[in-house]
Amino acid sequence: MMNKKYTKMALLLAMSASMTMVGCGGGDDGEAGNPGNPSGEPAAAINTLNLDITKVTYQDGKPTIEVFATNEQDLPVAGLKDFEVKKVVQLIPVGASGAGNSAQWQFIGSEKTFTDDGNGNYSFNVNVEGFNPELTQRYNIIASASTLQDGVTGVPRTEISEDFDGEGFEAKYTKNIVSGATCNTCHAKGESIYHSYTDLETCTSCHTNELAIEKDKVQDEFSHLIHNVHSNAKMYGRNMDKSAETAHAIVQDNCTTCHVDSEQLSESSNWTRIPTIETCSSCHTDIDFKTGQGHSQQVDNSNCVACHNANWTEELHTTAYTQKKAFIDLYGMTATLTANKASPDDKSATLSVTILDANGTAINASSLVSKIQRLETNTNVGPNFPIMGYKASPGSGLAKISKDFITAGLLQTDVVIESGNLVYNIASLPFGAGDTDTAFSFIGLEMCNDGIQAIDCADDVATTSMKAELTFGTLSGDTPSYRHIDSVNFGSCDNCHGDTFELHKGHHAGFVMTEQLARELNGELTVGLDACVVCHTPDGTYASGAKQGAIEMKLHSVHGEQGIIKDCTQCHNDFNLDVFKVKGALATSKVDNTTLYTTPITATCASCHGFDAIKQHVELQGGAIVNGSYQEANDAAQLETCFYCHVPSIENHTQVKL
């Protein structure tokens, strides 16, 4: 089904009010794009397929699209088989389809037949309907995961979309509200998002307003759909049976997670300037615009901007985030963990916590106790391989030391305020030699507030998890040992979750990971995940091994279940394989109330690949123990031979020595 054609006058009026110059595709010399193609023998292998539309020409309103294909070595790729122009769409400008309507992509054609010149060049002659040379055209091209014509050489799935004007030159305007790069901070680039498709531009080219009209489903239009699948305001999917709980837990109704101002996005402010019923009804499910329920009656978008101006719309949708961020930044903490050493046998330690204001100046804790919902501390020994479990470890017989300093505005037993600091004496810690000479405490702070400032805690008062603190102390007085923080790129965590994401709020005080957890690494202040191991111990967490709670496994298993992380480089900036030299057995299962353990390299790999899938290989060839007793897995921990053959890197974690 094709949309109606719009009059030239309506289009020109709309474009004159909304066009923005944007560089997209084509040449930069005023001529149709044709940058020239590298020569040489066609590629024999294709690990990466690169596609580029080199030229678009028109004959009697019918476009011919020339595409050049290369591999990762810039060699031409000939013989593509499952290759198509999935969609040709043109952009109906703001207001052209009706007063107040947003710009809309209109489907005008597709094509699966092409000519292969045998040198990496391909051409498509596309039959289109309703082509208007006054508009921007987008060509969405897909090479499916398949093989070449030889039936042997593999071809990875590749999608591209490029915009041109109606004569095949550089597009003068487009609709680019959110960038694909922003999506890729959570969704792995090149990995399927839904329906096997991988790119934002492919989604927008298919999920048009005309599709929603044709199917009589507003949820099929992209601006409605994209909010729906990132908010748990209502169900979605073909049968309205899918929930967006996972995505919502990450985005947390923070519009700025996706809507990022950028010089590369000419229409990044479109979401505040052009409110529509189609978009707003996705999140605001308690409103029926056409009947006037919950909102003044609106049968179309013509009157939306009369009330919802851009500044007010932005403020309304970002205030909660900006206020939360501002409140979190009002307070911080610093702490010390000091071995008392009153006698040769004394292994007690004193944990002291100081609350700071936004300028880093100490605040007398007495003035804030009534405003603190919870100040929670957890202490363990041995940062590289903690010897105290979440519950009692079979190795040490000890569990981590957990102590709330403040609960619901009340100072807790055995906690005192000295010189404005919160102080608690830990009766004994299992200090030892080497790594166990170091103890460390992780501190979470949850404060009561009205959204702007801290207030006294009460049953109906909101709370926010604040910046956390991590401190180290040694029995010997020597420099503490530290766990490595050179493997995971915290920026990747922050890019996806955002800087106000509250971890573990509910059962714990919760915390926001910030620069407060950073320490200097190679001359740079670096935020690591080393604090997490105080609870995510080798012996697991509350479920022992049943939930793969050890930090070496937990992030793999959780992100794997969610289906978001599919590429090591999304989170890792390196693999520090040497850390396994100081690790022992990891709790990996629980059967009949007995916790089972696995050697550390195998446990880490299995958290992604599955224990059953690798069990036979690692036991027969790698000397590993899979779901055995603590003692046998711990004894075999340094006998695994995995790295004799495997040399994983973040670019290729399956790499082996040949």
Side-chain angles (χ1 to χ4, degrees), residues 418-448:
E418 295 179 355
S419 302
N421 304 323
L422 295 157
V423 180
Y424 173 67
N425 186 67
I426 300 173
S428 180
L429 288 169
F431 286 114
D435 193 44
T436 59
D437 180 50
T438 299
F440 58 109
S441 295
F442 186 42
I443 303 137
L445 173 64
E446 182 182 6
M447 297 194 69
C448 300

mmCIF file of all heavy atoms in Angstrom, residues 418-448:
data_model
loop_
_atom_site.group_PDB
_atom_site.id
_atom_site.type_symbol
_atom_site.label_atom_id
_atom_site.label_comp_id
_atom_site.label_asym_id
_atom_site.label_seq_id
_atom_site.Cartn_x
_atom_site.Cartn_y
_atom_site.Cartn_z
ATOM 1 N N GLU A 418 32.456 9.947 66.181
ATOM 2 C CA GLU A 418 33.640 10.540 66.790
ATOM 3 C C GLU A 418 34.195 11.609 65.856
ATOM 4 O O GLU A 418 34.500 11.322 64.690
ATOM 5 C CB GLU A 418 34.718 9.480 67.049
ATOM 6 C CG GLU A 418 34.305 8.429 68.067
ATOM 7 C CD GLU A 418 35.397 7.379 68.275
ATOM 8 O OE1 GLU A 418 36.415 7.437 67.549
ATOM 9 O OE2 GLU A 418 35.220 6.503 69.143
ATOM 10 N N SER A 419 34.294 12.823 66.378
ATOM 11 C CA SER A 419 34.779 13.954 65.578
ATOM 12 C C SER A 419 34.000 14.090 64.278
ATOM 13 O O SER A 419 34.558 14.433 63.226
ATOM 14 C CB SER A 419 36.281 13.792 65.284
ATOM 15 O OG SER A 419 37.022 13.705 66.473
ATOM 16 N N GLY A 420 32.711 13.777 64.326
ATOM 17 C CA GLY A 420 31.846 13.911 63.166
ATOM 18 C C GLY A 420 31.842 12.717 62.246
ATOM 19 O O GLY A 420 31.072 12.675 61.276
ATOM 20 N N ASN A 421 32.696 11.706 62.532
ATOM 21 C CA ASN A 421 32.802 10.518 61.688
ATOM 22 C C ASN A 421 32.049 9.344 62.304
ATOM 23 O O ASN A 421 31.981 9.209 63.527
ATOM 24 C CB ASN A 421 34.268 10.120 61.499
ATOM 25 C CG ASN A 421 35.098 11.248 60.931
ATOM 26 O OD1 ASN A 421 34.624 12.002 60.081
ATOM 27 N ND2 ASN A 421 36.332 11.367 61.406
ATOM 28 N N LEU A 422 31.508 8.475 61.453
ATOM 29 C CA LEU A 422 30.857 7.246 61.900
ATOM 30 C C LEU A 422 31.920 6.173 62.069
ATOM 31 O O LEU A 422 32.674 5.883 61.134
ATOM 32 C CB LEU A 422 29.807 6.810 60.879
ATOM 33 C CG LEU A 422 28.617 7.766 60.717
ATOM 34 C CD1 LEU A 422 27.961 7.579 59.347
ATOM 35 C CD2 LEU A 422 27.599 7.535 61.820
ATOM 36 N N VAL A 423 31.959 5.562 63.258
ATOM 37 C CA VAL A 423 33.058 4.655 63.585
ATOM 38 C C VAL A 423 32.507 3.342 64.128
ATOM 39 O O VAL A 423 31.594 3.326 64.958
ATOM 40 C CB VAL A 423 34.015 5.292 64.626
ATOM 41 C CG1 VAL A 423 35.147 4.331 64.964
ATOM 42 C CG2 VAL A 423 34.574 6.612 64.091
ATOM 43 N N TYR A 424 33.105 2.238 63.644
ATOM 44 C CA TYR A 424 32.704 0.895 64.088
ATOM 45 C C TYR A 424 33.945 0.026 64.218
ATOM 46 O O TYR A 424 34.844 0.054 63.356
ATOM 47 C CB TYR A 424 31.736 0.282 63.079
ATOM 48 C CG TYR A 424 31.374 -1.161 63.345
ATOM 49 C CD1 TYR A 424 30.621 -1.523 64.460
ATOM 50 C CD2 TYR A 424 31.789 -2.172 62.474
ATOM 51 C CE1 TYR A 424 30.288 -2.848 64.704
ATOM 52 C CE2 TYR A 424 31.453 -3.497 62.700
ATOM 53 C CZ TYR A 424 30.700 -3.831 63.824
ATOM 54 O OH TYR A 424 30.372 -5.146 64.068
ATOM 55 N N ASN A 425 33.993 -0.745 65.284
ATOM 56 C CA ASN A 425 35.121 -1.643 65.508
ATOM 57 C C ASN A 425 34.758 -3.057 65.067
ATOM 58 O O ASN A 425 33.789 -3.650 65.559
ATOM 59 C CB ASN A 425 35.523 -1.661 66.988
ATOM 60 C CG ASN A 425 36.781 -2.474 67.219
ATOM 61 O OD1 ASN A 425 37.860 -2.099 66.774
ATOM 62 N ND2 ASN A 425 36.632 -3.598 67.914
ATOM 63 N N ILE A 426 35.507 -3.595 64.105
ATOM 64 C CA ILE A 426 35.320 -4.976 63.643
ATOM 65 C C ILE A 426 36.158 -5.872 64.543
ATOM 66 O O ILE A 426 37.386 -5.725 64.623
ATOM 67 C CB ILE A 426 35.751 -5.116 62.168
ATOM 68 C CG1 ILE A 426 34.915 -4.179 61.288
ATOM 69 C CG2 ILE A 426 35.595 -6.551 61.694
ATOM 70 C CD1 ILE A 426 35.378 -4.122 59.841
ATOM 71 N N ALA A 427 35.511 -6.806 65.217
ATOM 72 C CA ALA A 427 36.178 -7.572 66.278
ATOM 73 C C ALA A 427 37.368 -8.370 65.779
ATOM 74 O O ALA A 427 38.408 -8.446 66.448
ATOM 75 C CB ALA A 427 35.170 -8.501 66.951
ATOM 76 N N SER A 428 37.251 -8.969 64.587
ATOM 77 C CA SER A 428 38.356 -9.794 64.089
ATOM 78 C C SER A 428 38.205 -10.005 62.592
ATOM 79 O O SER A 428 37.087 -10.162 62.083
ATOM 80 C CB SER A 428 38.372 -11.154 64.797
ATOM 81 O OG SER A 428 39.433 -11.956 64.310
ATOM 82 N N LEU A 429 39.328 -9.985 61.891
ATOM 83 C CA LEU A 429 39.373 -10.280 60.467
ATOM 84 C C LEU A 429 40.450 -11.328 60.222
ATOM 85 O O LEU A 429 41.486 -11.327 60.908
ATOM 86 C CB LEU A 429 39.683 -9.010 59.653
ATOM 87 C CG LEU A 429 38.553 -7.981 59.566
ATOM 88 C CD1 LEU A 429 39.062 -6.664 58.984
ATOM 89 C CD2 LEU A 429 37.406 -8.520 58.725
ATOM 90 N N PRO A 430 40.252 -12.235 59.276
ATOM 91 C CA PRO A 430 41.216 -13.327 59.047
ATOM 92 C C PRO A 430 42.432 -12.876 58.236
ATOM 93 O O PRO A 430 42.738 -13.411 57.164
ATOM 94 C CB PRO A 430 40.382 -14.357 58.290
ATOM 95 C CG PRO A 430 39.395 -13.550 57.516
ATOM 96 C CD PRO A 430 39.048 -12.391 58.408
ATOM 97 N N PHE A 431 43.133 -11.873 58.760
ATOM 98 C CA PHE A 431 44.343 -11.407 58.086
ATOM 99 C C PHE A 431 45.359 -12.544 57.973
ATOM 100 O O PHE A 431 45.455 -13.417 58.847
ATOM 101 C CB PHE A 431 44.985 -10.264 58.873
ATOM 102 C CG PHE A 431 44.276 -8.948 58.772
ATOM 103 C CD1 PHE A 431 43.666 -8.387 59.886
ATOM 104 C CD2 PHE A 431 44.235 -8.257 57.568
ATOM 105 C CE1 PHE A 431 43.030 -7.159 59.805
ATOM 106 C CE2 PHE A 431 43.602 -7.021 57.475
ATOM 107 C CZ PHE A 431 42.996 -6.469 58.590
ATOM 108 N N GLY A 432 46.143 -12.514 56.903
ATOM 109 C CA GLY A 432 47.188 -13.510 56.716
ATOM 110 C C GLY A 432 48.322 -12.921 55.905
ATOM 111 O O GLY A 432 48.574 -11.715 55.951
ATOM 112 N N ALA A 433 48.962 -13.773 55.109
ATOM 113 C CA ALA A 433 50.093 -13.324 54.307
ATOM 114 C C ALA A 433 49.638 -12.992 52.888
ATOM 115 O O ALA A 433 48.555 -13.386 52.445
ATOM 116 C CB ALA A 433 51.168 -14.413 54.272
ATOM 117 N N GLY A 434 50.499 -12.250 52.178
ATOM 118 C CA GLY A 434 50.217 -11.961 50.771
ATOM 119 C C GLY A 434 48.951 -11.151 50.591
ATOM 120 O O GLY A 434 48.739 -10.134 51.253
ATOM 121 N N ASP A 435 48.085 -11.636 49.705
ATOM 122 C CA ASP A 435 46.853 -10.912 49.401
ATOM 123 C C ASP A 435 45.964 -10.761 50.628
ATOM 124 O O ASP A 435 45.241 -9.772 50.761
ATOM 125 C CB ASP A 435 46.103 -11.658 48.282
ATOM 126 C CG ASP A 435 44.971 -10.841 47.676
ATOM 127 O OD1 ASP A 435 45.175 -9.641 47.413
ATOM 128 O OD2 ASP A 435 43.887 -11.408 47.447
ATOM 129 N N THR A 436 46.029 -11.716 51.547
ATOM 130 C CA THR A 436 45.150 -11.663 52.723
ATOM 131 C C THR A 436 45.679 -10.740 53.814
ATOM 132 O O THR A 436 45.074 -10.629 54.881
ATOM 133 C CB THR A 436 44.905 -13.072 53.297
ATOM 134 O OG1 THR A 436 46.150 -13.654 53.660
ATOM 135 C CG2 THR A 436 44.206 -13.951 52.274
ATOM 136 N N ASP A 437 46.789 -10.062 53.553
ATOM 137 C CA ASP A 437 47.229 -8.995 54.454
ATOM 138 C C ASP A 437 46.330 -7.770 54.282
ATOM 139 O O ASP A 437 46.326 -6.872 55.126
ATOM 140 C CB ASP A 437 48.683 -8.611 54.144
ATOM 141 C CG ASP A 437 49.199 -7.499 55.039
ATOM 142 O OD1 ASP A 437 49.046 -7.611 56.268
ATOM 143 O OD2 ASP A 437 49.740 -6.509 54.499
ATOM 144 N N THR A 438 45.535 -7.776 53.188
ATOM 145 C CA THR A 438 44.678 -6.632 52.861
ATOM 146 C C THR A 438 43.213 -6.954 53.109
ATOM 147 O O THR A 438 42.696 -7.958 52.621
ATOM 148 C CB THR A 438 44.854 -6.216 51.389
ATOM 149 O OG1 THR A 438 46.209 -5.840 51.164
ATOM 150 C CG2 THR A 438 43.938 -5.048 51.036
ATOM 151 N N ALA A 439 42.546 -6.092 53.872
ATOM 152 C CA ALA A 439 41.084 -6.136 54.017
ATOM 153 C C ALA A 439 40.517 -4.939 53.269
ATOM 154 O O ALA A 439 41.207 -3.938 53.035
ATOM 155 C CB ALA A 439 40.689 -6.088 55.487
ATOM 156 N N PHE A 440 39.260 -5.037 52.883
ATOM 157 C CA PHE A 440 38.647 -3.930 52.157
ATOM 158 C C PHE A 440 37.165 -3.848 52.495
ATOM 159 O O PHE A 440 36.512 -4.852 52.744
ATOM 160 C CB PHE A 440 38.862 -4.075 50.646
ATOM 161 C CG PHE A 440 38.333 -5.344 50.035
ATOM 162 C CD1 PHE A 440 37.209 -5.335 49.210
ATOM 163 C CD2 PHE A 440 38.945 -6.569 50.278
ATOM 164 C CE1 PHE A 440 36.721 -6.498 48.640
ATOM 165 C CE2 PHE A 440 38.461 -7.745 49.717
ATOM 166 C CZ PHE A 440 37.347 -7.705 48.897
ATOM 167 N N SER A 441 36.662 -2.621 52.518
ATOM 168 C CA SER A 441 35.265 -2.367 52.874
ATOM 169 C C SER A 441 34.580 -1.579 51.766
ATOM 170 O O SER A 441 35.131 -0.598 51.250
ATOM 171 C CB SER A 441 35.171 -1.577 54.180
ATOM 172 O OG SER A 441 35.672 -2.328 55.264
ATOM 173 N N PHE A 442 33.385 -2.017 51.439
ATOM 174 C CA PHE A 442 32.549 -1.352 50.438
ATOM 175 C C PHE A 442 31.363 -0.748 51.174
ATOM 176 O O PHE A 442 30.700 -1.429 51.959
ATOM 177 C CB PHE A 442 32.100 -2.383 49.405
ATOM 178 C CG PHE A 442 31.344 -1.813 48.241
ATOM 179 C CD1 PHE A 442 31.748 -0.642 47.631
ATOM 180 C CD2 PHE A 442 30.231 -2.470 47.737
ATOM 181 C CE1 PHE A 442 31.060 -0.120 46.541
ATOM 182 C CE2 PHE A 442 29.531 -1.960 46.652
ATOM 183 C CZ PHE A 442 29.950 -0.782 46.051
ATOM 184 N N ILE A 443 31.084 0.526 50.903
ATOM 185 C CA ILE A 443 30.097 1.262 51.687
ATOM 186 C C ILE A 443 29.040 1.859 50.765
ATOM 187 O O ILE A 443 29.364 2.538 49.787
ATOM 188 C CB ILE A 443 30.783 2.387 52.496
ATOM 189 C CG1 ILE A 443 31.872 1.788 53.397
ATOM 190 C CG2 ILE A 443 29.768 3.153 53.327
ATOM 191 C CD1 ILE A 443 33.145 2.577 53.417
ATOM 192 N N GLY A 444 27.767 1.581 51.073
ATOM 193 C CA GLY A 444 26.655 2.132 50.317
ATOM 194 C C GLY A 444 25.854 3.101 51.161
ATOM 195 O O GLY A 444 25.683 2.903 52.371
ATOM 196 N N LEU A 445 25.342 4.153 50.524
ATOM 197 C CA LEU A 445 24.608 5.198 51.226
ATOM 198 C C LEU A 445 23.280 5.446 50.522
ATOM 199 O O LEU A 445 23.242 5.693 49.318
ATOM 200 C CB LEU A 445 25.436 6.488 51.246
ATOM 201 C CG LEU A 445 24.776 7.755 51.800
ATOM 202 C CD1 LEU A 445 24.453 7.597 53.283
ATOM 203 C CD2 LEU A 445 25.695 8.958 51.587
ATOM 204 N N GLU A 446 22.171 5.370 51.262
ATOM 205 C CA GLU A 446 20.834 5.632 50.738
ATOM 206 C C GLU A 446 20.215 6.755 51.558
ATOM 207 O O GLU A 446 20.085 6.637 52.773
ATOM 208 C CB GLU A 446 19.969 4.372 50.819
ATOM 209 C CG GLU A 446 18.574 4.519 50.262
ATOM 210 C CD GLU A 446 17.756 3.236 50.413
ATOM 211 O OE1 GLU A 446 18.253 2.290 51.059
ATOM 212 O OE2 GLU A 446 16.612 3.191 49.911
ATOM 213 N N MET A 447 19.832 7.842 50.882
ATOM 214 C CA MET A 447 19.373 9.026 51.599
ATOM 215 C C MET A 447 17.921 9.364 51.282
ATOM 216 O O MET A 447 17.444 9.191 50.152
ATOM 217 C CB MET A 447 20.261 10.225 51.266
ATOM 218 C CG MET A 447 21.707 10.031 51.697
ATOM 219 S SD MET A 447 22.661 11.565 51.686
ATOM 220 C CE MET A 447 21.906 12.439 53.056
ATOM 221 N N CYS A 448 17.214 9.863 52.287
ATOM 222 C CA CYS A 448 15.836 10.307 52.119
ATOM 223 C C CYS A 448 15.852 11.726 51.544
ATOM 224 O O CYS A 448 16.691 12.553 51.919
ATOM 225 C CB CYS A 448 15.113 10.309 53.464
ATOM 226 S SG CYS A 448 15.050 8.667 54.236
#
